[in-house]
Amino acid sequence: MKERSLYSEEVPKVSDNYAAARRDQILAAAAVRFAREGFHRASMQDVIDEAGLSPGAVYRYFRSKDEIIAAIALRSMGMIEATVRESLETHRPLTEVVAELPRAFSTLDHAEESMRLAVQAWGESLRNPALAATMQSALNQVREALQQRITQGQIDGEVDPAVNPDHAARILLALVQGFLLQHTWEPTLDADDYGRAASDVLRGHLNKRHWAGEPSTIGSASTHTASSSSSSAD
């Protein structure tokens, strides 16, 4: 009862911007502390100390450590979803969008720590059904956004109509998850290099009929980048 009275006390209303800033402050502090201590060893009190806030201020936004872990992981996927949904408005080429997706993680506060924690959260979700459900819901939203973008590409004549949007969306999501996982193991892996390579694969550059000037079997043909052209010439 004491803990509930301490953390459920009446607090003055605040603006949405203030609340968002406070949440970001807490998540940034948690990312640093979890990365340093590991989220199994770190406690809510550690997060409170790192954030420099009162217990009530932290518990107002997050009731448990699991909620913080989920929020950090969801922010990572949220950046990807936002990038894809922005392209639904602009109709930018899908290959350009895919090339930019790995870089979206760099916009996170404490990006390196947040990316490592997102990967750890995947493992944690295997033993935590509530966390698994939350993360699966977020991944579904990203996949749905990718599916909509692929469908839009088919309508625009950019993507082969024979492509199954749901299946293709899962492959593109796997490319993003693959970058997150590989970057965690190999922090020097460059997001732009990875993105360009993913875009090249999407364009069909692994298909001889594409880079040899023959008709591609992968949707629409795009002009090669300068680097790809010089590589082919060699």
Side-chain angles (χ1 to χ4, degrees):
M1 291 298 294
K2 288 184 179 180
E3 184 172 286
R4 176 175 296 182
S5 64
L6 175 62
Y7 302 132
S8 302
E9 59 188 358
E10 289 292 327
V11 292
K13 292 184 180 297
V14 298
S15 69
D16 290 343
N17 288 341
Y18 178 90
R22 187 63 84 197
R23 280 177 57 88
D24 287 345
Q25 179 183 353
I26 296 168
L27 292 177
V32 171
R33 198 63 175 236
F34 290 165
R36 186 164 65 236
E37 306 286 345
F39 58 68
H40 285 298
R41 291 179 58 191
S43 65
M44 281 295 285
Q45 186 59 52
D46 290 329
V47 174
I48 291 166
D49 293 343
E50 190 75 36
L53 299 172
S54 68
V58 173
Y59 278 94
R60 178 180 183 184
Y61 298 99
F62 301 101
R63 293 172 297 178
S64 68
K65 190 169 66 172
D66 283 350
E67 285 192 2
I68 294 178
I69 294 168
I72 291 173
L74 294 182
R75 268 203 319 180
S76 299
M77 288 296 105
M79 293 297 182
I80 300 302
E81 182 184 358
T83 300
V84 176
R85 293 202 179 281
E86 181 268 340
S87 76
L88 284 168
E89 299 294 328
T90 63
H91 289 247
R92 285 189 302 125
L94 185 57
T95 51
E96 290 184 8
V97 177
V98 170
E100 291 181 6
L101 292 182
R103 193 191 314 144
F105 292 119
S106 66
T107 62
L108 293 165
D109 290 333
H110 298 282
E112 294 297 323
E113 293 90 345
S114 294
M115 290 168 66
R116 287 199 298 272
L117 287 169
V119 172
Q120 291 181 58
W122 295 348
E124 181 68 11
S125 69
L126 297 177
R127 71 174 191 84
N128 185 328
L131 179 60
T134 299
M135 294 186 64
Q136 186 60 58
S137 176
L139 288 174
N140 287 343
Q141 291 178 17
V142 177
R143 194 179 75 246
E144 288 170 7
L146 287 166
Q147 180 179 340
Q148 291 170 17
R149 181 61 188 85
I150 293 166
T151 300
Q152 183 186 73
Q154 291 174 319
I155 294 172
D156 292 345
E158 176 190 10
V159 177
D160 189 338
V163 169
N164 182 303
D166 180 58
H167 296 170
R170 291 177 184 274
I171 297 301
L172 296 185
L173 178 57
L175 285 173
V176 174
Q177 291 174 305
F179 171 74
L180 196 59
L181 182 60
Q182 291 185 61
H183 185 81
T184 299
W185 288 336
E186 187 182 351
T188 57
L189 178 63
D190 184 77
D192 290 332
D193 288 344
Y194 186 99
R196 281 190 293 269
S199 180
D200 283 344
V201 170
L202 193 61
R203 288 188 175 102
H205 287 193
L206 295 184
N207 185 329
K208 181 179 179 180
R209 284 193 287 180
H210 180 90
W211 55 260
E214 300 175 33
S216 173
T217 61
I218 305 181
S220 60
S222 301
T223 57
H224 294 197
T225 60
S227 59
S228 299
S229 298
S230 60
S231 175
S232 297
D234 293 339

